[in-house]
């Protein structure tokens, strides 16, 4: 029998034998994966924002269900059904009874605003501040451009309604069984990280419920208060002013400024006295919200610095459009909770490391 031939294997061109090269290649692969992940997030940013909006909606529904449970000792499913039906009834009432009035007022709001802007431009020209040309079409296009690329797909009324329906449906599904989705995400994590994940998500959910409860309370107070006060003093388009003020109250800082400008423009369009009443209404409503509601909510949830929230609104509004502007506050709150929890975990691990080192 012939002896077996001795084979001498040499490394091929694709084999990396240097440990240094392998380490650097691993680092480059990680950075490449991060870059690809960021690219995917940029491409899918609109559905990601819609999903996060659905989570925010689920937090509001879950918070209402828990609050109702304090006064109505029935099953969670029945309480959630009551909250959802109340939401549907409110939206139907708004469309059926107030929809036509608000639509008529919205049609004249643009004319009122443009006429007031033209009056301000003429006043500036008369006082030597230069000639200011007001082009309605240009202003409208610029305002539409601020919506951003992300929300271009929902620029139409039909697209906006479709997105709203998706957010509401997604929020209801999550609110029905939130633990199911929490366990599903935890299943993707290593076993050693699951307990920490459950603690962090529990704190996030608590914070988000409290934050949204404060937002809804502020929206109700500002919207109803502005509507009733405008009706009492005779400011035009009281229903629309109340609706816009309530909706814009969801956006801290910027929402109050925008609603105040709209209220003043509409108020002064009916006369100087009405404009002065509009100033008084604005400051009264904002004072009640800023000194009563906001501090009360801040004690129960994360205390977000105004400059931090405003900076996040500017950044996310520029990058992500109107959706980023609306969701900036919840995003900052969730990020802060996660960072605080990570800091607590690291602070707790430090003494254990010192004890192990001393032993």
């Amino acid at each position: 029998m012939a002896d077996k031939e001795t084979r001498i294997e040499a490394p091929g061109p694709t084999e990396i034998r240097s440990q240094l090269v392998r380490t650097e290649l691993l680092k480059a692969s990680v950075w490449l994966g991060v870059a690809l992940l960021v690219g995917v997030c940029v491409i899918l940013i609109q559905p990601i924002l819609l999903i996060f909006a659905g989570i925010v909606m689920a937090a509001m529904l879950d918070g209402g269900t828990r609050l109702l449970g304090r006064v109505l000792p029935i099953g969670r499913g029945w309480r959630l059904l009551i909250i959802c039906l109340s939401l549907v009834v409110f939206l139907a009432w708004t469309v059926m009874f107030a929809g036509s009035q608000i639509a008529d007022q919205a049609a004249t709001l643009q004319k009122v605003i443009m006429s007031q802007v033209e009056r301000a431009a003429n006043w500036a020209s008369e006082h030597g501040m230069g000639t200011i040309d007001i082009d309605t079409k240009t202003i409208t296009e610029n305002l539409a451009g601020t919506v951003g690329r992300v929300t271009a797909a929902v620029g139409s009324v039909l697209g906006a309604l479709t997105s709203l329906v998706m957010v509401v449906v997604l929020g209801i599904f999550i609110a029905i069984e939130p633990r199911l989705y929490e366990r599903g995400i935890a299943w993707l994590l290593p076993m050693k990280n699951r307990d920490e994940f459950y603690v962090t998500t529990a704190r996030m959910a608590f914070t988000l419920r409290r934050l949204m409860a404060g937002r809804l309370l502020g929206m109700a107070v500002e919207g109803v208060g502005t509507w009733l006060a405008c009706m009492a003093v005779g400011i035009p388009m009281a229903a629309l002013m109340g609706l816009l003020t309530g909706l814009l109250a969801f956006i801290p800082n910027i929402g109050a400024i925008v609603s105040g400008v709209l209220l003043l423009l509409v108020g002064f369009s009916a006369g100087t006295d009405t404009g002065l009443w509009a100033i008084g209404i604005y400051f009264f409503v904002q004072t009640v919200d800023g000194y009563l509601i906001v501090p009360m909510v801040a004690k129960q949830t994360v205390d977000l610095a105004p400059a931090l929230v405003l900076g996040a609104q500017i950044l996310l509004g520029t990058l992500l459009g109107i959706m980023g502007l609306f969701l900036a506050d919840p995003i900052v709150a969730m990020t802060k909770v996660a960072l605080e929890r990570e800091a607590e975990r690291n602070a707790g691990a430090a003494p254990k490391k010192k004890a192990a080192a001393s032993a």
Side-chain angles (χ1 to χ4, degrees):
M1 175 182 271
D3 295 334
K4 295 183 179 179
E5 296 180 359
T6 303
R7 297 180 180 178
I8 300 177
E9 299 288 345
T14 60
E15 184 175 357
I16 301 175
R17 303 179 65 88
S18 173
Q19 184 63 32
L20 177 61
V21 176
R22 289 182 179 180
T23 303
E24 295 300 325
L25 182 61
L26 179 61
K27 293 180 181 180
S29 301
V30 172
W31 282 110
L32 179 60
V34 172
L36 292 176
L37 180 62
V38 172
V40 171
C41 291
V42 171
I43 296 174
L44 301 177
I45 190 62
Q46 181 185 343
I48 291 175
L49 288 178
L50 290 178
I51 293 173
F52 186 78
I55 296 175
V56 173
M57 175 63 68
M60 290 189 286
L61 296 175
D62 184 57
T65 303
R66 292 170 180 263
L67 183 62
L68 188 61
R70 297 182 179 181
V71 296
L72 196 60
I74 58 177
R76 172 184 168 81
W78 292 107
R79 287 184 275 121
L80 180 61
L81 180 61
I82 293 174
I83 295 296
C84 294
L85 291 178
S86 301
L87 177 61
V88 172
V89 170
F90 173 75
L91 294 176
W93 177 86
T94 302
V95 173
M96 293 176 60
F97 293 94
S100 59
Q101 181 182 2
I102 292 176
D104 294 338
Q105 293 179 2
T108 60
L109 178 62
Q110 180 180 0
K111 298 179 181 178
V112 172
I113 292 177
M114 291 309 304
S115 64
Q116 292 296 94
V117 172
E118 290 176 357
R119 288 178 57 185
N122 294 333
W123 180 86
S125 300
E126 293 175 358
H127 288 76
M129 299 182 184
T131 303
I132 303 177
D133 295 330
I134 304 297
D135 187 359
T136 305
K137 182 178 180 181
T138 303
I139 293 178
T140 304
E141 291 177 352
N142 290 335
L143 291 176
T146 59
V147 174
R149 176 185 59 82
V150 176
T151 55
V154 294
S156 63
V157 176
L158 181 60
L161 291 176
T162 303
S163 300
L164 179 61
V165 171
M166 288 191 296
V167 168
V168 172
V169 172
L170 182 61
I172 293 175
F173 283 152
I174 296 176
I176 291 175
E177 189 60 40
R179 297 295 182 185
L180 174 64
Y181 304 98
E182 185 182 27
R183 291 194 300 267
I185 298 176
W187 180 76
L188 301 175
L189 301 175
M191 291 288 294
K192 62 180 180 179
N193 296 333
R194 293 183 183 180
D195 291 337
E196 181 64 26
F197 170 77
Y198 287 130
V199 174
T200 303
T201 53
R203 291 192 179 185
M204 284 185 172
F206 175 81
T207 300
L208 192 58
R209 288 195 302 269
R210 297 285 180 154
L211 185 66
M212 291 301 102
R215 288 289 176 267
L216 292 176
L217 181 60
M219 292 170 64
V221 170
E222 291 192 27
V224 176
T226 302
W227 172 44
L228 296 178
C230 289
M231 287 183 60
V233 300
I235 295 179
M237 295 176 283
L240 182 59
M241 288 297 98
L243 178 63
L244 292 178
T245 302
L247 292 177
L248 291 171
F250 188 84
I251 311 175
N253 305 321
I254 296 178
I257 296 174
V258 175
S259 63
V261 171
L262 293 176
L263 182 60
L264 294 182
L265 291 176
V266 174
F268 279 102
S269 68
T272 304
D273 295 339
T274 310
L276 295 177
W277 275 112
I279 295 176
I281 292 172
Y282 172 76
F283 280 106
F284 176 76
V285 171
Q286 295 301 323
T287 300
V288 171
D289 185 38
Y291 287 93
L292 293 179
I293 298 176
V294 172
M296 179 179 63
V297 174
K299 293 179 181 179
Q300 303 294 334
T301 183
V302 290
D303 191 8
L304 299 177
L308 176 64
V309 176
L310 182 59
Q313 289 172 348
I314 295 173
L315 178 62
L316 295 179
T318 302
L319 295 177
L320 307 178
I322 194 68
M323 285 286 289
L325 184 63
F326 269 91
L327 298 176
D329 199 21
I331 290 174
V332 172
M334 296 299 96
T335 304
K336 184 177 181 181
V337 171
L339 293 177
E340 288 178 347
R341 179 57 188 168
E342 182 66 18
E344 292 178 4
R345 189 178 67 85
N346 293 334
K352 295 180 180 180
K353 292 182 179 179
K354 291 182 179 180
S358 60

